[in-house]
Amino acid sequence: MPHIPRMTSFTPLSGLLGGVLIGLSASLLMSFNGCIAGISGILGEFLAFRRSEMGWRLAFIAGLVVAPILYRAFSGALPFTITPSMPVLIAGGLLVGIGTRMGSGCTSGHGVCGLARFSKRSLAATLIFMAAGIATVFVARHLIGG
């Protein structure tokens, strides 16, 4: 059975700072590029190899990869550990990919940008994401164990 990590270093200040940075980055992307900061959309368009917007999409994705590496380099450790099972990671990644295609976006696109634009579709999608997340945690922690 895979180990499910529990986040123990959460503080309201770190949550506030993370939220502010996410909102700021989404606002900057919308202001300068006119694009919604949805990770699934940015990655999907990048993988479609459309040359017109490859540069900023590559920089965005590189930032997602490099940020935790830099955090670990300067802090010494990540605030959590994940001991993954490769089949579980692959299945989870596929389900997330299928879900974001079915929902026309991911949590960042709907939850951060869509809600800020008062989109009813994004509100519905975000409520479904939250309900699925709560159900998944309940099943993983209380029914399966962990």
Side-chain angles (χ1 to χ4, degrees):
M1 178 178 305
H3 169 70
I4 300 170
R6 295 180 192 269
M7 182 174 248
T8 57
S9 62
F10 172 80
T11 65
L13 183 60
S14 66
L16 177 64
L17 180 61
V20 168
L21 290 174
I22 289 171
L24 179 63
S25 66
S27 297
L28 289 173
L29 185 62
M30 179 64 82
S31 297
F32 291 112
N33 281 13
C35 296
I36 294 174
I39 308 304
S40 61
I42 292 170
L43 182 61
E45 292 293 320
F46 178 76
L47 295 176
F49 297 107
R50 297 201 173 109
R51 290 180 181 250
S52 63
E53 298 182 336
M54 291 289 278
W56 74 265
R57 291 179 193 278
L58 177 62
F60 196 97
I61 294 166
L64 294 174
V65 174
V66 170
I69 295 170
L70 290 176
Y71 182 86
R72 186 172 184 179
F74 289 109
S75 71
L78 293 175
F80 57 91
T81 58
I82 299 173
T83 53
S85 160
M86 192 54 73
V88 170
L89 285 177
I90 292 170
L94 288 173
L95 288 173
V96 168
I98 292 168
T100 57
R101 297 308 285 176
M102 289 175 63
S104 299
C106 60
T107 53
S108 57
H110 283 299
V112 175
C113 299
L115 291 180
R117 295 181 306 133
F118 302 110
S119 166
K120 291 178 183 173
R121 184 177 76 152
S122 291
L123 176 61
T126 302
L127 290 174
I128 292 170
F129 295 150
M130 295 298 290
I134 291 168
T136 301
V137 169
F138 179 79
V139 169
R141 294 241 168 118
H142 301 292
L143 299 182
I144 296 175

